[in-house]
Amino acid sequence: MLAFRIVQDWCSQEAYLKDVKILIFLRLQQVGNVKSIYTAIKRCLLPTDSRLNERDIENLIKCSSSVMIILDGFDDYFKKGNGINLDIKRIIKKQMFLNFEILLTTRFLPKEMARETVRLRITGLDDRMRDNYLRTAVVGEDGGAIKRIKRRLNDNPVLEDLCQVTLFFVILAHISHDRVFHPPCKTTTALFRYMMDCLQIHPKSNIMTERDNVETYHLYGKDYIKLYKLAFEGLKGGKEKLVWRKHELAAEIGDKLYDMCLQTGVLIEEEILDSSSKSDLPLFCQFHTEVRFFHIRFCEWYAAHYVAKYVESSSDVEAVRNIIGNIDPVEHQYFYRFACGLNTNIASSIIKVVKTLKGGGMCIVLCLFELTDKAENFLHGVRDMFLRCIELKKGQNKLQQKAVLQVLSMASRIKIPIYRVDVVNCFHSVDVSKGYLYLNSNMSMSVLPTLRNLWIWEEITGREMTNEEITDVIKYASLHSSLEFLGFGFCLLPQLIDANVLSDLRSRNVEVLWGFPADYSLNLLSGQWQSKGEVVTNQMYQRVVTFCSTIKCYVTFVRGQKQLN
């Protein structure tokens, strides 16, 4: 959508693009294995009867005073197994089109990128954008209705997670505004089932007559079985296959189900350039239509149905392992959660398998939440997990951090005590007004009412925190009603903390510790650091400053060596 908006702005001659003479917009997944960028431009962008050949295109581009190239969807292109063709690789590495503006959209960064590359992260709808959508598309200027919908969407961690996907937020916002229908929000499975039913009701009523309603419904039932299997087979194996040729998929699941999935937005079609076709063929002969799920959650939903309904030997753990054992529980946690929620009879076998898989620990807890509308009844077996230190640390991918944050949020909401959370080398900032602690991955930890110990470690960087930063952290910590200890390790803090921000911690006797790992404690009355009951002197503080500077110098040296290598 960002890429389309830039193209639209260029066509409208918006000011920030007024100097761009040529804009080239290529959707990489449509390019296929075409080796030359000039061939791709000719066959994807120019009319069939264009007299320009590849050499003409090259000359026009190179002679232009200002060119912008948008390479859209690198991640989908790369996942298809295309590798990276030579021209695309050169462009990304800034070995080609050195003076051009290049915009690459992707969910993950290529390994080989030019050092001067500027990286921007899109984080989805913020609160302001959500409010604006609710106001313009759902409730108008009814402020009470906006607050009511937001309360329904924000009060439940199941909804909170799904609403990060814009499509799901839009659907759930409209559902939540309906005074007659109230979606079940206790489990992800129940909510997603309800949402899928809502998606399918409207197209069915439009494309089916009363006479063939029953007959077509049964036809869909049979064809859905085939879709379940295709989705499951797409997830399993060493390499996911989540893209199909249109004619193959339509023939497999039937035209009517295929059309309905397109109308509801579950499936989307894309025209892909066939690299094996000859350039002198008519344009329509050079392309084929590929189909994929609009979002991976849809694929996981249908794949979970296959496991939930058609695994006969559900009581045999080894049989279940052979079927699902190679589906990553970190990347596809929702597949396991849906499968447990759809068929509780096989849930215990699934959980036993997940327990043995890498990264399966947090996934098990999330699966337990799917077994009943009162998921807290099933948490007694994992309460000991929260009696240990839980880490959010650098090196975890976003999916791992997301699972940890979900589990913490759910546990705290149902009053399970959380002994300790350590934020290790990944602390970014705090937004006190929203009650969020942000990680470097842009994931956020909300306030946890049952958290007892919070530690922030910077042992890799020796980070220096400003007065504003430490004030925000203390205010955020004050929001945790059960907090007993707040700690900082291997980072440089101000020598004096404003005593005014310590009043809440002081009223609850919360201890604030700092050091390498815990050499100093904070006097909550004066805001001064103490060591063994004595105030930290300027000389003692300067030793800490020197120590942190040494850490910074060492890290800078190591990074420099890696870049040279």
Side-chain angles (χ1 to χ4, degrees), residues 478-497:
S478 299
L479 300 175
H480 295 71
S481 54
S482 299
L483 196 70
E484 298 172 358
F485 290 91
L486 172 63
F488 301 87
F490 292 96
C491 51
L492 181 60
L493 303 184
Q495 187 173 357
L496 182 66
I497 307 297

Side-chain angles (χ1 to χ4, degrees), residues 552-564:
K552 282 185 178 180
C553 291
Y554 176 75
V555 170
T556 303
F557 172 76
V558 171
R559 286 176 178 169
Q561 290 296 108
K562 288 183 178 179
Q563 289 181 354
L564 289 174

